[in-house]
């Protein structure tokens, strides 16, 4: 029986173009706002660089042209954070949750997302943690980017966990605007190939624990 803390899992096969992901989030956000429903979108994107809302008002045309020349799309977004990359081998999760169902606010939500990633990494044998910068880190390297948008107490955007991502894509930017730090992946930390499907199964289990909810297909 569905409850206010039931979350519908939406798994997208193959590679999803970023603008299609935005349209899907908007459609589910409308349902979440109007009917107090909850969703968890899980996908992999085709190569794309995204820019946070603090950058959206600046002239990004030169940066877009440079990065598009590398074979990736570029989008300015309403999420928090700065420039990051999404692409094959990266588990992207967009929780579309009505926070009224969880009786908590934005600060709680961001904290729980961080706990979700830390717990997922721990279950897979990787020690990850918070630091003074946004995201989740293993030592000096970011393993997961976080950036959310909350309107009418309903969430969009979310997290991007590097599984077996080609990390060379990050060499073309200063990831999330943080100089002097690197990026890593589950595969690099564990020492074997870890795909999105494997990591996704662990994340869904941990999502139910951390959010104290039930995920249904």
């Amino acid at each position: 029986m569905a409850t206010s803390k039931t979350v519908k899992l939406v798994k997208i096969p193959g590679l999803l173009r970023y603008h299609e992901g935005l349209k899907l989030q908007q459609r589910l956000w409308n349902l979440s706002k109007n009917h107090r429903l909850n969703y968890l979108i899980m996908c992999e994107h085709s190569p794309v660089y995204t820019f946070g809302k603090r950058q959206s008002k600046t002239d990004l045309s030169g940066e877009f042209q440079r990065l598009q020349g590398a074979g990736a799309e570029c989008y300015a977004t309403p999420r928090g954070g700065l420039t990051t990359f999404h692409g094959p081998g990266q588990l992207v999760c967009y929780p579309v949750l009505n926070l009224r169902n969880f009786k908590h606010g934005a600060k709680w939500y961001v904290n729980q997302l961080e706990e979700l990633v830390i717990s997922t990494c721990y279950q897979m044998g990787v020690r990850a943690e918070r630091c003074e910068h946004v995201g989740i880190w293993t030592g000096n390297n970011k393993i997961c980017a976080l950036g959310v948008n909350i309107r009418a107490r309903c969430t969009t955007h979310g997290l991007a966990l590097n599984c077996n991502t080609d990390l060379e894509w990050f060499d073309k930017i200063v990831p999330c605007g943080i100089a002097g730090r690197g990026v890593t992946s589950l595969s690099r930390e564990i020492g074997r190939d870890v795909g999105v499907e494997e990591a996704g199964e662990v994340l869904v289990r941990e999502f139910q624990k951390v959010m104290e909810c039930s995920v249904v297909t």
Side-chain angles (χ1 to χ4, degrees):
M1 181 178 181
T3 70
S4 62
K5 292 178 73 173
T6 297
V7 179
K8 172 71 173 177
L9 178 62
V10 181
K11 292 181 69 174
I12 308 299
L15 296 180
L16 180 69
R17 292 188 67 181
Y18 190 75
H19 74 277
E20 294 295 338
L22 291 176
K23 289 194 293 186
L24 176 59
Q25 287 181 78
Q26 183 60 47
R27 180 169 65 84
L28 297 185
W29 180 87
N30 288 330
L31 290 171
S32 180
K33 179 174 69 76
N34 295 328
H35 303 288
R36 293 187 68 156
L37 300 174
N38 308 299
Y39 301 91
L40 176 60
I41 303 169
M42 297 178 63
C43 66
E44 285 179 87
H45 284 304
S46 52
V48 59
Y49 292 100
T50 68
F51 299 78
K53 59 187 177 182
R54 284 186 285 168
Q55 300 167 277
S56 300
K57 295 180 181 179
T58 62
D59 182 9
L60 295 173
S61 59
E63 191 70 349
F64 275 30
Q65 185 175 11
R66 181 180 71 85
L67 294 172
Q68 286 167 345
E73 296 183 291
C74 293
Y75 285 92
T77 77
R79 62 159 173 79
L82 299 175
T83 311
T84 195
F85 169 79
H86 301 309
Q90 185 185 70
L91 175 61
V92 175
C93 299
Y94 298 131
V96 183
L97 308 178
N98 190 314
L99 293 180
R100 293 177 181 85
N101 295 332
F102 296 83
K103 297 180 172 58
H104 290 287
K107 185 176 181 180
W108 171 87
Y109 175 63
V110 172
N111 181 77
Q112 297 309 100
L113 281 188
E114 292 172 340
E115 286 295 330
L116 168 63
V117 177
I118 292 170
S119 181
T120 298
C121 289
Y122 176 81
Q123 293 299 325
M124 302 193 74
V126 176
R127 180 182 177 184
E129 58 191 1
R130 300 173 178 88
C131 76
E132 68 272 19
H133 299 296
V134 176
I136 299 301
W137 301 76
T138 61
N140 203 44
N141 298 314
K142 178 178 282 191
I143 196 167
C144 183
L146 294 172
V148 305
N149 182 263
I150 302 174
R151 293 172 292 144
R153 297 198 68 189
C154 296
T155 68
T156 54
H157 297 274
L159 65 89
L161 177 61
N162 296 329
C163 299
N164 53 4
T165 322
D166 180 358
L167 299 178
E168 290 188 4
W169 285 102
F170 292 95
D171 294 341
K172 299 172 177 60
I173 59 173
V174 179
C176 300
I178 303 169
R181 294 211 173 207
V183 291
T184 190
S185 65
L186 289 171
S187 295
R188 175 174 288 184
E189 296 300 314
I190 296 173
R192 64 172 178 84
D193 186 65
V194 178
V196 165
E197 188 69 26
E198 179 182 354
E201 291 178 0
V202 178
L203 186 139
V204 169
R205 291 199 302 269
E206 296 307 305
F207 186 91
Q208 294 181 99
K209 296 176 188 176
V210 169
M211 295 296 184
E212 297 182 348
C213 67
S214 176
V215 175
V216 300
T217 56

